[in-house]
Amino acid sequence: MQNKTIAKRTAALLLALLMAVGIFAGCSKGGGNGEKRSVTVTVTHKDGSTKDFTYETTEEMLGAVLQKEGLIEGEDSQYGLFVKAVDGYTADEGSQEWWCLTVNGETAMTGIDSTPIEEGKSYGLVLTVGY
């Protein structure tokens, strides 16, 4: 009788362990949680020159990886992160300079911290003059 109890407990413990391993394995593969992805951002400077920055990240949003890597600096606003500096250059607000985020060559419809990193899309930060 005691051997059956030990066998049942051992089987239950093994089943629970296998389920836990299955759950963790599923989390690491699906839905973008923890999934590594590559993102390239092209920075267009005031003189028109461009420079590409490529990062491998598990972040889901563009702003998070660019802040973490030190490419951008900004301040939080009611609309999200307002980018003030990119690649060491701070936009001169007095000259109406600002950093424009582009996705696939078009002005982004979302802020940098709410723009998802998606495979096959190109991202840019363009120093723009004039409001």
Side-chain angles (χ1 to χ4, degrees), residues 102-123:
T102 63
V103 179
N104 290 336
E106 305 216 358
T107 301
M109 301 275 83
T110 55
I112 198 160
D113 52 355
S114 58
T115 298
I117 298 170
E118 296 181 59
E119 202 66 37
K121 290 201 174 178
S122 61
Y123 301 93

Side-chain angles (χ1 to χ4, degrees), residues 5 28-29 57 72 78 96-97 101 104 110 127 131:
T5 303
S28 69
K29 291 182 182 175
T57 185
I72 64 171
Q78 67 186 32
Q96 295 187 347
E97 291 180 349
L101 172 64
N104 290 336
T110 55
L127 185 67
Y131 300 131

Side-chain angles (χ1 to χ4, degrees), residues 37-42 51-57 65-66 69 71:
R37 62 194 78 178
S38 177
V39 61
T40 299
V41 177
T42 301
K51 188 173 178 183
D52 290 338
F53 296 86
T54 302
Y55 304 106
E56 292 291 323
T57 185
V65 67
L66 300 184
E69 295 292 338
L71 181 62

Side-chain angles (χ1 to χ4, degrees), residues 72-93:
I72 64 171
E73 294 176 25
E75 61 184 41
D76 290 323
S77 74
Q78 67 186 32
Y79 304 107
L81 182 69
F82 179 69
V83 177
K84 293 190 159 243
V86 176
D87 190 24
Y89 181 82
T90 301
D92 180 4
E93 292 180 42

